[in-house]
Amino acid sequence: MSLMTLLPFIVLIGAMFLMTRSAKKKQQAAAQMRDHMTPGTGVRTIGGMYATVKEIGDDTVTLEVAPGVHAIYAKNAIGAVLEDAEYNRIVHGVTDEAETDTPVVPDDASSLTEAPKTDLTKDEDEAPKLDLGKKDEPKDDEPKDDEPKDDEPKDGKADGEAGAK
């Protein structure tokens, strides 16, 4: 056999090895995350439900999904173990006041070095806007509004109207 016939098989085996290795790392990280659960910890299930851990068994976890309501879940059903601050923010709507007191930092330094503009709606070198509401004066060859046009009949009646000739 030549090297060219074996090359696709070698590449395929290498790709399979890399994929299984990354999947194994993800499984180990998830198992380690589940091992850090303690009673009182906030969790999110793989179904998206937020609950508090009450008891931890070998393969199961007892979760308090509402005050006084307990449910038993498999450990594999825990999607994420949340920190207390994040759990309280999501479930109870509690936010830390320290986060709102932080100063606002601009995206770029230009706003710190330039002088503030007085009129923020237009730049200094911007041309004035055109007023599209004005009507131009009629040209000499066009009739004025009070004069009848050439294609209009003199009596003010158009074709198809009652009394038209």
Side-chain angles (χ1 to χ4, degrees):
M1 287 188 159
S2 69
L3 183 62
M4 292 302 287
T5 57
L6 291 177
L7 187 62
F9 293 112
I10 294 170
V11 170
L12 182 63
I13 291 171
M16 289 174 54
F17 174 73
L18 290 175
M19 287 189 307
T20 57
R21 192 172 132 210
S22 66
K24 196 173 194 178
K25 282 186 177 181
K26 287 180 184 178
Q27 286 176 351
Q28 286 176 347
Q32 185 180 10
M33 180 244 342
R34 289 184 193 108
D35 289 339
H36 288 303
M37 283 190 301
T38 58
T41 306
V43 295
R44 182 182 68 236
T45 65
I46 57 174
M49 183 176 64
Y50 294 93
T52 305
V53 176
K54 286 299 173 186
E55 293 179 18
I56 300 173
D58 292 334
D59 294 331
T60 60
V61 179
T62 304
L63 301 178
E64 185 177 29
V65 295
V69 180
H70 296 97
I72 299 172
Y73 279 82
K75 275 189 177 179
N76 293 340
I78 304 301
V81 177
L82 306 173
E83 295 180 12
D84 290 337
E86 184 179 5
Y87 181 76
N88 288 332
R89 180 184 59 82
I90 293 170
V91 175
H92 303 296
V94 176
T95 58
D96 292 339
E97 295 300 322
E99 292 179 9
T100 57
D101 293 338
T102 58
V104 177
V105 179
D107 291 338
D108 58 351
S110 64
S111 63
L112 300 174
T113 57
E114 293 178 355
K117 295 179 184 176
T118 55
D119 186 11
L120 298 177
T121 58
K122 62 180 180 178
D123 292 331
E124 295 171 8
D125 55 333
E126 185 178 324
K129 300 204 185 272
L130 296 174
D131 185 12
L132 300 176
K134 290 184 178 179
K135 292 185 178 181
D136 294 332
E137 291 293 323
K139 296 179 184 174
D140 293 337
D141 58 338
E142 292 182 8
K144 298 191 188 249
D145 289 339
D146 56 341
E147 295 177 2
K149 295 181 181 176
D150 292 336
D151 58 343
E152 292 181 4
K154 301 275 186 208
D155 60 355
K157 296 182 181 177
D159 290 336
E161 289 185 9
K165 295 182 182 177

